[in-house]
Amino acid sequence: MHSPRCFLSRVGLLPKPGSLPWCATKRPGWSQLFLGSACEGNFTDVIPKKCQRRQKSQKKPSHVGPLDGSWQERLADVVTPLWRLSYEEQLKVKFEAQKRILRRLESYLQKLNGVNVTTSAPRAEGLSCLLHPIIPSPVINGYRNKSTFSVNRGPDGNPKTVGYYLGTWRDRSIVCVQSNHLKNIPEKHNQVAQYYEVFLRQSPMEPCLLFHEGGYWRELIVRTNSQGHTMAIITFHPQDLRQEELNVQKEAVKKFFTTGPGAVCDLTSLYFQESTMTRCSHQQSPYQLLFGEPHLFEDLLGLKIRISPDAFFQINTAGAEVLYRTVRELSGVNSNTILLDICCGTGVIGFSLAQYASQVLGIELVEQAVEDARWTAAFNGITNCEFHAGRAEKILPQLLKSKEDGHFIVAVVNPARAGLHYQVVQAIRNCRAIRTLIFVSCKPHGETTRNIIELCCPPDSAKKLVGEPFVLRKAVPVDLFPHTLHCELVLLFAR
């Protein structure tokens, strides 16, 4: 039998030695072999070489115009590497990538102490589980409802440039390039970014490019809904400014976007956050509403959904509806079922299934998202949903203890790219009432692979994985990210 590390290297689930840092977790056994969120770039490893060559050799479309040879074109190749292909070709590339990921995952599961991925014979795609054809996004261009823009030196050297990064910090080659020609960014987001740049260039305050080098103005987040309402969030490093000086800057940016040149953006709300770290939660540093409505509202699946500044919401609204319908069809939820929604965000998956389930239990780390979920439930008259704010590894074990006896539980997990905490995996694996598990991932490798191994491996008392193993039955890729290499993969596990 191959050692886990040797086998994973051979089949391509691990990067080449020295190419990426190993995950620093201290779990026993094979679990130390998988990468965490650092392996973002590894997705290209599962793109067929033929498709990669085709991508590189694809002729530039005749309509590109000002993109030719420009920084914007280089940015598009990095952020949206499939933009030169037709959407049909993009879907083929992504489907092949999902097949390769699943083949490697199944291969490892089968090698690991003789685990069977499924009891059925291999199917037409060379897989044991059933792989559904990729479901396309209803919207191909300008689909993002949230964009994050950085501030740094542009190609002309101006440090007050708003856009996306090219280059690497390690090589000191970072350049900030305007995003006007990225196909996945809506015009409204680019407009707000453009006017934020105008504001920065007339401000006497310097941008904060690196924390240890001083400066103040930092990134911009723009969120929109399908009705065109727009929320902007500006991050500011306060350094040693007094409160009166901070108030001057807040008033300046507010005036710019209400009565100054930025008023053409017609913002629904403007938030300001004083942040001394790369990322601060609302609890660490509250979002300060400078003007406008405190929330966005979205119509989804016949419901009105409330969204706070830092609440997670799928970035492709039309695609999210397709995703949630897919989860509903796979879940098999009925009136005798409790739906457990882990990493529930604003609770939309639970709401989409609430009318079919006896009860919905949601767990979410971001308190504002839980408040949104509770508001949404009350506004839409949904009475069988219960939401818990906090870390899933702390809440879930106790919650399952109260629900395990005499209940049938369907669990849905849609974690961030860092995957599920080990204690969450243990709680799911060891709860006998959970017979069906839906795992939704936009990054079905790295930490997600580790989670799946732990869910499907033979019982192991040393690792506190004593429950019956799950079996991968079905996979459905849903494209929420046209022009990029990513898509959501919905995995159905049963036992």
Side-chain angles (χ1 to χ4, degrees), residues 225-246:
N225 64 9
S226 54
Q227 290 78 42
H229 301 154
T230 306
M231 174 190 292
I233 306 164
I234 291 173
T235 308
F236 186 88
H237 194 314
Q239 304 291 347
D240 297 323
L241 292 182
R242 300 188 305 273
Q243 190 58 52
E244 309 85 73
E245 295 170 310
L246 281 169

Side-chain angles (χ1 to χ4, degrees), residues 147-150 162 192-193 196 218-222 232-235:
S147 299
T148 302
F149 300 94
S150 299
V162 179
V192 179
Y196 182 49
R218 296 194 59 242
E219 69 182 23
L220 165 74
I221 298 174
V222 183
I233 306 164
I234 291 173
T235 308

Side-chain angles (χ1 to χ4, degrees), residues 8 11 34 65 68 93 99 108 115 120 142 158 191 207 281 308 329 332 365 372 401-402 405 428 440 446 462 487 492:
L8 286 173
V11 300
F34 291 91
D68 292 343
V93 169
K99 279 200 296 187
Y108 184 68
V115 174
S120 62
N158 194 317
Q191 181 192 43
S281 67
S308 290
E329 291 168 2
L365 176 63
D372 291 338
K401 281 184 181 180
S402 65
D405 294 333
I428 294 172
V440 183
C487 72
L492 170 64

